[in-house]
């Protein structure tokens, strides 16, 4: 074994050690949300915090600096993978090295407590229950920006955590174009004066049957149940320990046919990405997704572009009739499809239609910018939230639960994440454009409930690249073009034109 | 803060750190048995092994030696608790210091793999599937005895792990007396020629209803669901992370009314002990059970002495009729009680009646002694097992699943544990003798389904002492007498005399 091989092996072992802590931490988090006895909360938060501190120590240890130095002095002998490995390692090291250990510990403890407080507050529909914990988290987030530094806008520091190199400056432009395009379509729809009936989706759908249907569709998508499972939590999410244990969660509403089903499809999209990460990248640190927005592109691709397509809707219609015959009595295939794609400006992001969804994101993006730049305070959030909903979507929450408390993201300090969802829409539509060129008959297969060609294309063109490329390069590699809003806006226009006949 | 107070605080923090690893490890184990995706098995085994190695390092670190030295030089200032803390710390340290870190790692990896292999083997009812993993575990167990040393019998080294100071010499005597007593009662029963009908326990009992009943009885026992939960595994067990998160598991057989119910009561007995460990002992290391046999005394006390008593049987009868009206059609209270206590020499330990149960233990004890002393080899186990069952109980397994593969214990290397169950019977009966003197009307309350006085007595007399006393001192403190077999044998004789009228 050469000196380089020896060092690479040593590095792989070191990553394995870090992985022991992260997988254990992830499992503890999963347990905390799926059914941990409540008396354990405080102790669990401490253990999670301890583990995150250990991971941080390992990530910023002199050992890592030593690896980087060695690898950099051998770049000439490295292939692309090991060069990328070295670059990413260095970037992550320098990024983490900024934060004192005490700070990481404090943040992770605040995040664990934040989530507990958020869940209580949401159940009580009372923002004040969450407020003290959130204030702590926001303070620490601002402090993290000081450690990290920024050029133009404080919020840039947060964006960069989820989408390397993205700035408020760039995002304001893309989101501007997106917003104008969406508003234009929304107005065309309004002008038609058409309304779509989706009341049959609000019949009674027993939880256990919703669960079976979700499991069936996940199986269809290619979710590997030997490498994952589905559980129940307050807020659906996907958690990967390794590519061999990827867990999704769901939440059931018995008076809603679509909520759990499309959550399962959404989380399933995330999960396929994680399950498809190639084993051969183990030991390099590159066996992770390219970015959060690319991750969201996968979930939203399945949820909307595939899940709510004409063809898949027809397939779902047959399945729905099979499982819930009475509830869909007298509903036609056409009515089912239109109801799935009904446009209604509404209160809850996760239940928003495909068209208005991005407006929910733009609201959150703007609020986060205001909060982080000290223009508003935590105590102002419910009021600002409600005002923006009225302004952008024409609807106003009557309770905190339906408003500012609906999302988990702030409770664990994930400020800067929300834009990823809308970026995911853009990436997804651009990928679709390429996929339908590569596989011309793909929609026919989707109509038969055969999602294998979709999975195969995504696996080969997105998932298996893992973190071998930055997202901006990945999308260029896949589609030959830079990221742009036009594909998504064209896709939306084509879709809604046919549905609303405008 | 005095120097001593400071050091005690530092020690408490150190224990907390160890606890982070052990609780995470316990959660990973729980997850592994309750529903972890199967592709994760190898990786999970490695993580568990890594954590156990970390715990070992922390337990044998120079830091511990330093604590011991400091505490020993301040024994004069210490109260009983801190004296005991120091003694126990030193004992544990010296015991663990014997094993090289590499050995601990190897053992824990072998144990994780052993459990996976055992489950596969049991499902396939094929001992050969388990054999290679078990051979590894037995080799390592023998190696551990070399590290530990022994005086008379190699097996003494293993016994001491679970019951401080117990030897083959002592145990052969107690078990001899126990066996003679049981055989005498068994013969008296045989002479009567009476048979009891328990066929109604083998009607169909839907799993979900069995689960509800188990949960109801656990609630009655005083199991605190804010500090614990019940899940489903291949083999029922109790796992405590702290006194605030104690999990029991169960296994349901739809053609058996008693199996899951009495597993729940058994594990519930373990769980109450753990939930009742006082918070004030946190940071001393004494917040654990006195011994495994005392632990088993609690589980078996609830399962048999309470659970199958005339009075509780009458209560259960009413509950059973309520939940399973049809299945118990025409069954009287008397028939129900007798069926619960039917004596039938049988194949499966966990389903054995109260009388013959200890013979199952004595078989395992004898086999372990033979194996550890190199008189038999792993490959001989199925044959020796079947032979002893024929000899002692007059029944012979027709498959490995019903024979040598029935118990989980060997798969993770818990040799020396089995005797605890029978010792638990002895402790339990001796405690009962005292409890009925202290609380004369207790059986009347039990008959009403009020288990609070039982819980209160056990909590105050056993649970809250945690590891403040060695078991031999604890039983003396509780009952004023040394451990002896006579109370258990008297209890059995009284019970079966009434049931079989001999």
């Amino acid at each position: 074994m050469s000196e380089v091989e020896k060092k690479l092996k040593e590095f792989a072992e070191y990553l394995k050690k870090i992985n022991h802590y992260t997988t254990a931490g992830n499992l503890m988090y999963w347990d905390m949300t799926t059914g941990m006895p409540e008396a354990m909360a405080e102790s669990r938060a401490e253990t999670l915090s301890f583990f995150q501190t250990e991971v941080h120590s390992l990530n910023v240890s002199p050992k890592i600096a030593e690896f980087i130095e060695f690898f950099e002095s051998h770049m000439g002998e490295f292939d692309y993978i090991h060069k990328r490995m070295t670059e990413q390692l260095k970037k992550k090291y320098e990024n983490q090295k900024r934060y004192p250990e005490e700070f990481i510990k404090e943040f992770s403890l605040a995040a664990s407590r934040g989530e507990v407080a958020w869940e209580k507050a949401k159940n009580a529909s009372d923002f004040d229950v969450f407020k003290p914990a959130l204030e702590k988290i926001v303070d620490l987030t601002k402090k993290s920006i000081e450690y990290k530094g920024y050029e133009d806008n404080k919020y840039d520091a947060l964006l960069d955590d989820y989408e390397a190199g993205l700035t408020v400056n760039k995002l304001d432009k893309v989101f501007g174009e997106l917003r104008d395009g969406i508003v234009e379509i929304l107005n065309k729809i309004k002008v038609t004066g058409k309304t779509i009936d989706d009341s049959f989706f609000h019949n009674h759908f027993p939880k256990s049957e919703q669960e079976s249907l979700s499991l069936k569709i996940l199986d269809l998508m290619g979710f590997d149940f030997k490498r994952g499972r589905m559980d129940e939590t307050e807020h659906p999410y996907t958690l990967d320990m390794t590519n061999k244990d990827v867990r999704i969660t769901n939440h059931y509403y018995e008076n809603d046919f679509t909520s759990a089903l499309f959550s399962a499809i959404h989380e399933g999209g995330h999960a396929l990405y994680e399950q498809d990460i190639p084993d051969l990248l183990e030991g390099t640190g590159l066996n992770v997704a390219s970015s959060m927005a690319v991750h969201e592109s996968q979930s939203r691709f399945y949820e909307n572009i595939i899940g709510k397509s004409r063809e898949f809707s027809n397939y779902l219609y047959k399945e729905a009739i099979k499982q819930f015959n009475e509830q869909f009595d007298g509903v036609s295939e056409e009515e089912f499809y239109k109801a799935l794609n009904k446009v209604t400006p509404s209160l809850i992001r996760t239940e928003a239609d495909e068209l208005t969804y991005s407006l929910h994101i733009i609201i959150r993006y703007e609020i986060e910018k205001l909060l982080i730049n000290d223009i508003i305070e935590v105590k102002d959030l419910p009021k600002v939230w409600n005002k923006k909903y009225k302004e952008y979507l024409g609807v106003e929450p009557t309770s905190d639960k339906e408003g500012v408390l609906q999302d988990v993201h702030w409770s664990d300090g994930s400020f800067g994440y929300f834009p990823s969802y809308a970026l995911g829409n853009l990436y997804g539509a651009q990928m679709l454009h390429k996929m339908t060129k590569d596989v011309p008959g793909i929609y026919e297969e989707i109509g038969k409930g055969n999602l294998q060609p979709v999975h195969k294309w995504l696996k080969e063109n997105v998932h298996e690249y893992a973190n071998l490329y930055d997202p901006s390069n990945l999308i260029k590699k896949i589609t030959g073009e830079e990221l742009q809003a036009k594909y998504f806006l064209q896709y939306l226009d084509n879709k809604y034109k046919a549905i609303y006949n405008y």
Side-chain angles (χ1 to χ4, degrees), chain A:
Chain A
M1 205 185 275
S2 75
E3 203 197 345
V4 172
E5 283 169 335
K6 245 160 81 182
K7 194 58 99 181
L8 286 171
K9 207 184 156 209
E10 198 190 316
F11 178 60
E13 284 301 316
Y14 193 86
L15 289 185
K16 212 174 213 180
K17 186 172 170 180
I18 295 178
N19 209 44
H20 290 317
Y21 286 100
T22 52
T23 57
N26 281 347
L27 181 67
M28 281 189 278
Y29 175 83
W30 172 85
D31 182 61
M32 200 165 93
T33 59
T34 52
M36 180 184 75
E38 64 176 83
M40 190 62 176
E42 182 65 21
S43 160
R44 178 62 55 84
E46 280 179 35
T47 303
L48 273 171
S49 165
F50 169 77
F51 273 40
Q52 279 158 3
T53 311
E54 289 295 303
V55 168
H56 178 68
S57 306
L58 288 166
N59 277 328
V60 298
S61 81
K63 195 75 206 151
I64 293 284
E66 197 188 306
F67 284 126
I68 293 169
E69 203 191 329
F70 180 91
F71 294 152
E72 283 194 326
S73 70
H74 289 80
M75 285 294 255
E77 303 157 48
F78 276 174
D79 57 9
Y80 176 78
I81 291 182
H82 289 113
K83 278 183 190 151
R84 170 86 180 166
M85 171 194 88
T86 307
E87 283 162 17
Q88 290 292 300
L89 179 65
K90 191 177 184 181
K91 190 180 162 190
K92 194 175 162 192
Y93 173 75
E94 287 177 348
N95 192 25
Q96 297 222 17
K97 195 75 186 155
R98 292 186 182 103
Y99 309 109
E101 220 158 282
E102 203 39 57
F103 176 77
I104 301 284
K105 204 171 164 177
E106 206 184 346
F107 200 113
S108 116
L109 192 55
S112 295
R113 285 181 179 150
E115 199 151 358
V116 174
W118 169 74
E119 210 168 309
K120 268 193 200 154
K122 192 175 174 184
N123 285 336
S125 192
D126 183 356
F127 181 75
D128 285 345
V129 173
F130 183 36
K131 194 170 142 273
L134 183 58
E135 278 169 342
K136 180 78 188 161
I137 291 162
V138 170
D139 281 350
L140 292 171
T141 302
K142 288 178 182 170
K143 217 167 162 185
S144 81
I145 295 171
E146 284 169 35
Y147 287 122
K148 195 165 182 190
Y150 61 98
E151 278 182 24
D152 289 329
N153 192 303
K154 284 186 186 172
Y155 192 72
D156 289 350
L158 302 177
L159 280 176
D160 187 66
D161 282 345
Y162 300 106
E163 198 72 1
L166 188 64
T167 60
V168 166
N169 198 23
K170 286 185 201 170
L171 200 51
D172 279 350
K173 275 180 216 150
V174 180
F175 276 6
E177 190 185 341
L178 183 60
R179 192 173 114 184
D180 293 348
I182 291 173
V183 167
E184 202 184 315
I185 296 171
L186 203 51
N187 283 335
K188 287 184 198 164
I189 290 174
K190 269 188 201 149
V191 167
T192 68
K194 283 201 182 99
T195 55
I196 289 173
D197 175 26
D198 67 348
S199 58
F200 46 83
F201 283 154
H202 298 284
N203 287 329
H204 183 76
F205 301 92
K207 181 177 142 179
S208 65
E209 295 185 40
Q210 288 200 45
E211 196 185 358
S212 318
L213 183 58
S214 292
L215 290 170
K216 182 171 186 172
I217 301 299
L218 282 167
D219 188 47
L220 214 65
M221 289 170 68
F223 182 89
D224 183 351
F225 287 94
K226 287 186 177 170
R227 293 167 171 245
R229 48 182 283 164
M230 181 177 74
D231 295 275
E232 193 180 348
T233 54
E234 178 61 27
H235 186 91
Y237 68 81
T238 302
L239 178 145
D240 66 296
M241 296 196 237
T242 74
N243 59 0
K244 292 172 189 64
D245 191 352
V246 182
R247 304 188 182 189
I248 69 172
T249 70
N250 210 342
H251 191 93
Y252 305 93
Y253 300 91
E254 296 210 315
N255 64 345
D256 190 337
F257 172 73
T258 60
S259 177
L261 176 59
F262 284 90
S263 286
I265 299 176
H266 178 98
E267 302 307 333
H270 283 304
L272 289 184
Y273 195 175
E274 293 294 342
Q275 288 187 337
D276 287 343
I277 299 285
D279 283 346
L280 70 88
L281 292 177
E282 258 176 39
T284 65
L286 299 175
N287 53 339
V288 295
S290 174
S291 78
M292 284 308 158
V294 178
H295 231 308
E296 290 301 338
S297 82
Q298 298 308 291
S299 52
R300 302 191 61 74
F301 193 90
Y302 274 104
E303 181 187 355
N304 295 314
I305 293 179
I306 303 302
K308 292 177 184 163
S309 66
R310 183 77 197 211
E311 291 74 10
F312 196 67
S313 170
N314 291 351
Y315 174 82
L316 266 186
Y317 173 77
K318 287 185 209 103
E319 289 298 316
I321 295 280
K322 247 191 261 169
Q323 191 140 12
F324 303 106
N325 191 21
E326 264 177 44
Q327 291 93 322
F328 292 112
D329 193 27
V331 177
S332 73
E333 198 176 73
E334 179 74 12
E335 286 164 335
F336 187 90
Y337 171 62
K338 287 194 170 167
L340 263 193
N341 287 287
K342 180 182 181 178
V343 173
T344 323
S346 69
L347 291 171
I348 307 291
R349 175 183 63 85
T350 54
E351 290 164 20
D353 57 77
E354 194 178 357
L355 182 66
T356 58
Y357 183 88
S358 300
L359 296 177
H360 290 259
I361 296 307
I362 291 170
I363 289 173
R364 284 157 179 76
Y365 167 62
E366 292 183 359
I367 291 176
E368 289 188 353
K369 273 198 299 178
L370 294 171
L371 188 66
I372 295 305
N373 286 293
D374 300 310
I375 298 163
I376 61 169
E377 290 174 60
V378 168
K379 72 170 170 47
D380 306 321
L381 285 173
K383 208 184 284 176
V384 176
W385 182 284
N386 293 355
K387 207 176 141 231
K388 288 212 178 260
Y389 262 79
K390 185 127 199 221
E391 190 186 334
Y392 286 53
L393 286 153
V395 292
E396 203 178 351
T398 55
S399 74
D400 291 341
K401 191 178 173 139
E402 291 178 318
V404 68
L405 289 176
Q406 67 183 268
D407 294 311
V408 71
H409 303 61
W410 293 344
S411 78
D412 67 356
S414 301
F415 289 96
Y417 186 97
F418 279 121
S420 307
Y421 294 107
L423 290 171
N425 287 337
L426 307 188
Y427 282 129
Q430 194 161 334
M431 287 172 191
L432 173 71
H433 184 75
K434 184 64 168 41
M435 188 179 81
T436 48
K437 272 196 207 162
D438 289 351
V439 196
I442 203 159
Y443 271 113
E444 210 175 304
E445 293 306 313
I446 293 169
K448 294 179 202 154
N450 176 14
L451 298 182
Q452 278 180 20
V454 174
H455 185 198
K456 185 171 181 285
W457 191 90
L458 291 172
K459 188 176 180 186
E460 289 169 2
N461 288 279
V462 185
H463 305 174
E464 292 191 339
Y465 285 116
N467 189 24
L468 285 173
Y469 302 99
D470 276 347
S472 55
N473 289 329
L474 182 65
I475 194 72
K476 235 157 55 187
K477 192 174 168 65
I478 299 170
T479 68
E481 290 181 280
E482 308 269 352
L483 176 71
Q484 40 203 298
K486 79 168 184 198
Y487 290 107
F488 184 52
L489 287 170
Q490 271 172 13
Y491 158 82
L492 290 175
D493 193 37
N494 287 337
K495 181 170 190 171
Y496 291 106
K497 196 183 291 169
I499 293 172
Y500 280 93
N501 262 318
Y502 54 70

